[in-house]
Amino acid sequence: MTEPLWTATEIAAATGGIASAEFIATGVTFDSREVGSGDLFIALTGEATDGHRFLDQAFAQSAAGAIVSEETSHPHVRVADTMAALEALAIAARARTSAKIIGVTGSVGKTSTKEALFAALDRADPGAAHRSVKSYNNHTGVPLSLARMPAATRFAVLEMGMNHAGELAHLTTLVRPHVAMVTAIAPAHTAFFPDESAIADAKGEIFAGLEPGGTAIIPYDSPHRDRLIAAAAPHVAHVVTFGLAGGADVRAIETMRTATGATFVTAQIGERELSFTMAQPGMHWVSNALGVLAAVDAVGGDLAMAGLALAELGGLQGRGARMMAKLPDGEALVIDESYNANPASMRATLAVLGAERAARKIAVLGEMRELGERSAQYHADLADPIVEAGVGHVILVGQEMRALANALEGRVEFVHVPDAAAARDSLMDILAPGDAVLIKGSNGVGLARLVAALSSGTA
């Protein structure tokens, strides 16, 4: 039986609301499509929709109760403002736990690192770790992830994202991490920032919420390392750096690609050494793994078990998952990176494609969005990584890819198409057994639909 998470009395006390009846919730959600038996449904009111419209649906799906700001006949706690109530419930969840909390942010690698950290901590103590689900890392996702945290949790890994300055400053006060990690700084959401230094400053806001005696984990190889260390200094007792370079506190002494595409790593962690296999291919994943080990060590976790978890780690949907697409005469490898894209992650995943042993390497690349006035240059700069990866054919998707099309002229065979549907048609015209296909772009391009079609055999 699922353990109780909140009672109506506890919800009312946390939010200052009034309970219509006693009930016990075993989960929390604000998305009516996700409501399951025993869940607390929070009827958020936004610009596009109003959760109160979905109360009947939520209870038809066996919700236990709701947080509302309007009258309803369903079991509920009534408050003045449901968004404020969600934050209040998050604050109460954080206050009642003695868990060690790890906050994760960065321009790239947040969700993957969060999942790897959870796997590492859960491997040593199954059921004792909690994490943000999906990419719930914004002003609603972070408090929801906290509200879902059981009181008995021993470790929690919470992802925090932003696309404007000041957003992390608020989220970190809710999370109050004991350990705060920045995975990497790279051009992302640059439409909202003057330069990468400003992005580093915005990511550095995470350190302001650290609990006394806290630890900052910072990428040593980043050109913004010293800027991040300076941002952390007023708020931390310890700064730990991680990376591939020799000066990092947690670093790779040796790396070797295995026959399966994984990487065997020997890592130095302070005075200790740990050898493990990183299941996911690519040096960006080695860097992520070093950050994971630094965080596990900082919260007193089991490093040996963390190494085993990293060896077992599978790819995430949209973030490196691999599958074999069935074709009439055989199969082709599909690398699913369809969830997001920025210049740094594009380069990293093109390098992964380049290391594949395949009859031919194909890249389906969707435009990178929110890059601002330098967007054309960021796109054009991908030409060299494509050539260096030995890509035989490129399908460019979206208007912003025009600059890359111009840069590739005469260098690599390519087509430039307007949308994901046209990309699917172009890919299926050329895809053959033995090919390796990288599919990557900003989520709004919709390349996940292409991956789904390949997976189901309907492409």
Side-chain angles (χ1 to χ4, degrees):
M1 180 178 176
T2 306
E3 290 292 320
L5 186 62
W6 295 101
T7 66
T9 299
E10 290 169 338
I11 296 165
T15 63
I18 299 173
S20 68
E22 189 57 62
F23 59 82
I24 296 174
T26 55
V28 184
T29 186
F30 51 63
D31 187 336
S32 60
R33 297 166 296 183
E34 296 181 354
V35 173
S37 179
D39 279 351
L40 171 70
F41 174 61
I42 303 178
L44 296 183
T45 301
E47 294 180 5
T49 189
D50 184 346
H52 295 87
R53 292 170 46 205
F54 303 101
L55 284 166
D56 289 345
Q57 175 185 334
F59 282 92
Q61 293 167 206
S62 301
I67 295 179
V68 299
S69 58
E70 299 176 4
E71 290 186 11
T72 179
S73 60
H74 298 294
H76 66 273
V77 173
R78 186 164 181 178
V79 298
D81 182 326
T82 53
M83 183 62 219
L86 172 59
E87 285 207 356
L89 201 62
I91 291 168
R94 178 64 183 86
R96 73 181 182 178
T97 186
S98 59
K100 292 292 186 181
I101 310 289
I102 303 170
V104 180
T105 194
S107 302
V108 292
K110 292 186 297 296
T111 302
S112 299
T113 299
K114 176 257 298 181
E115 290 293 327
L117 255 173
F118 171 78
L121 294 166
D122 186 66
R123 185 70 161 75
D125 198 349
H130 172 76
R131 73 191 186 285
S132 314
V133 298
K134 301 182 181 178
S135 292
Y136 281 180
N137 61 23
N138 63 5
H139 68 289
T140 54
V142 170
L144 177 66
S145 297
L146 282 166
R148 288 173 163 175
M149 182 169 57
T153 296
R154 290 193 58 215
F155 301 102
V157 188
L158 297 167
E159 179 181 342
M160 287 179 268
M162 62 89 205
N163 55 21
H164 290 84
E167 292 176 349
L168 276 180
H170 175 62
L171 295 179
T172 194
T173 63
L174 298 177
V175 174
R176 290 168 38 218
H178 299 93
V179 176
M181 177 195 296
V182 176
T183 59
I185 303 297
H189 310 298
T190 52
F192 310 118
F193 295 94
D195 53 34
E196 269 192 30
S197 294
I199 295 173
D201 291 341
K203 294 296 185 184
E205 293 171 12
I206 192 174
F207 303 126
L210 275 163
E211 289 288 89
T215 299
I217 298 180
I218 289 170
Y220 184 87
D221 303 325
S222 172
H224 307 286
R225 175 190 67 217
D226 293 341
R227 196 177 193 96
L228 291 169
I229 290 173
H235 310 289
V236 301
H238 311 282
V239 172
V240 177
T241 59
F242 70 94
L244 304 175
D249 298 316
V250 178
R251 61 190 181 275
I253 302 172
E254 183 180 15
T255 62
M256 181 177 66
R257 180 181 165 88
T258 71
T260 63
T263 306
F264 182 77
V265 182
T266 299
Q268 184 86 35
I269 307 156
E271 299 301 317
R272 294 154 294 169
E273 287 187 12
L274 175 70
S275 293
F276 65 97
T277 299
M278 182 64 240
Q280 294 304 300
M283 293 308 292
H284 63 299
W285 257 113
V286 174
S287 180
N288 289 346
L290 296 170
V292 166
L293 295 177
V296 169
D297 190 45
V299 296
D302 188 319
L303 288 171
M305 285 295 188
L308 291 176
L310 292 169
E312 298 164 354
L313 195 67
L316 302 177
Q317 183 178 356
R319 294 182 172 88
R322 292 171 168 236
M323 66 172 192
M324 299 306 297
K326 302 291 185 183
L327 302 174
D329 300 319
E331 295 180 323
L333 171 66
V334 177
I335 304 170
D336 176 15
E337 286 277 356
S338 60
Y339 184 80
N340 207 352
N342 59 47
S345 64
M346 279 284 199
R347 288 172 178 271
T349 51
L350 282 166
V352 169
L353 177 63
E356 289 296 328
R357 297 182 178 92
R360 179 178 49 168
K361 298 162 189 175
I362 301 172
V364 182
L365 304 180
E367 62 187 9
M368 303 177 289
R369 296 182 174 176
E370 296 185 351
L371 292 181
E373 62 184 19
R374 293 193 61 196
S375 178
Q377 188 61 54
Y378 284 131
H379 283 83
D381 286 347
L382 295 176
D384 285 347
I386 288 170
V387 173
E388 290 163 6
V391 178
H393 190 91
V394 186
I395 300 172
L396 305 173
V397 190
Q399 182 177 353
E400 292 292 320
M401 278 294 181
R402 171 53 57 194
L404 179 53
N406 293 337
L408 286 175
E409 197 71 51
R411 303 182 70 187
V412 174
E413 184 179 343
F414 72 90
V415 294
H416 185 198
V417 299
D419 53 36
R424 179 193 60 208
D425 293 342
S426 294
L427 179 62
M428 297 316 297
D429 282 343
I430 63 168
L431 191 60
D435 288 345
V437 185
L438 168 65
I439 301 177
K440 186 169 182 65
S442 288
N443 193 36
V445 179
L447 292 180
R449 295 192 294 273
L450 171 55
V451 175
L454 289 166
S455 177
S456 65
T458 60

